[in-house]
Amino acid sequence: MANHANKTTNLVPVYGIIISVIAIALSIIFYVTNYYDTLWTGFMIGAVIFIGVLLSVVNYNNNHHERTNAAAMFGMGFRTTVFSVIIISIFSIILHLIATSGTHAMPTTANNGDQVAGQGNFWIYFLGQTVFMNMTMGVLAAALGAFVFKRNQTTPSAR
C-alpha cells in the first residue's frame, strides 16, 4: 500500500511538466505570431493551468480510489500549481532575455509612439500575469477539484 501512495505522490512533477509544456508551447506560438503582448493570451495560459490542475486533482482522487480527503486533494493541486508556475516563470524570464539580448536597455516604441508592452513593462506583466494570475487560477482549480470531486462529503459533527 505504501508503494502505491508513493507512486501517486511522485506524479506532481509529471502533472506540472505536462501543464508547463502546454503553456510554454502556447507562449512560443503567441510570441512567433506577435500576439504575446495581448491580454487574451495570458487568459489562455491561465485556462490551461486551471484545467490541468483540475484534472490532476481528479486523477489523484481516482488513483486513491476516491478515499482521500479534501485537504490531500487540495495539497496535490497546490503542489502541481507551484511546480508548473515555477517552470513557466523560468521560461518567461529566459524568453524575455533572449528576445531583448540584441537590443539596448531602452524600451521600444511602436509607430504611434506607444510603448511596446513586452519590453518596457515586462516585470509588471511577469508579476501580474505569469505569477499572480497563474497561481490564482491554480489555487482556485485545486480548491474546486478538492471540494467538488470529493465523494461522501460529511461534516465533522455528522460523524
Side-chain angles (χ1 to χ4, degrees):
M1 187 70 166
N3 188 16
H4 178 69
N6 288 337
K7 192 174 190 179
T8 56
T9 305
N10 292 333
L11 289 177
V12 169
V14 174
Y15 295 129
I17 289 172
I18 290 171
I19 293 168
S20 300
V21 165
I22 294 170
I24 288 170
L26 285 174
S27 294
I28 290 172
I29 290 169
F30 295 147
Y31 186 77
V32 168
T33 59
N34 290 328
Y35 283 112
Y36 189 72
D37 296 336
T38 59
L39 188 60
W40 65 269
T41 59
F43 294 145
M44 291 288 292
I45 293 172
V48 166
I49 291 175
F50 184 84
I51 292 169
V53 170
L54 190 64
L55 290 175
S56 72
V57 169
V58 171
N59 193 9
Y60 177 78
N61 190 29
N62 288 339
N63 284 344
H64 286 293
H65 307 290
E66 299 181 4
R67 295 191 187 275
T68 185
N69 60 9
M73 291 169 57
F74 178 77
M76 168 65 177
F78 184 75
R79 288 189 308 270
T80 303
T81 300
V82 169
F83 194 82
S84 63
V85 167
I86 287 172
I87 292 173
I88 293 168
S89 298
I90 291 170
F91 172 78
S92 295
I93 292 172
I94 291 171
L95 181 65
H96 174 70
L97 292 175
I98 290 172
T100 60
S101 65
T103 62
H104 44 80
M106 295 296 291
T108 60
T109 56
N111 290 337
N112 60 1
D114 292 338
Q115 199 176 54
V116 176
Q119 304 241 343
N121 299 328
F122 170 75
W123 294 108
I124 294 171
Y125 172 80
F126 175 76
L127 291 175
Q129 185 74 31
T130 305
V131 176
F132 179 74
M133 195 205 69
N134 290 342
M135 283 295 292
T136 303
M137 295 303 286
V139 168
L140 287 174
L144 182 71
F147 296 116
V148 170
F149 294 105
K150 173 73 178 111
R151 189 173 285 199
N152 298 329
Q153 296 180 3
T154 58
T155 59
S157 62
R159 291 182 187 183

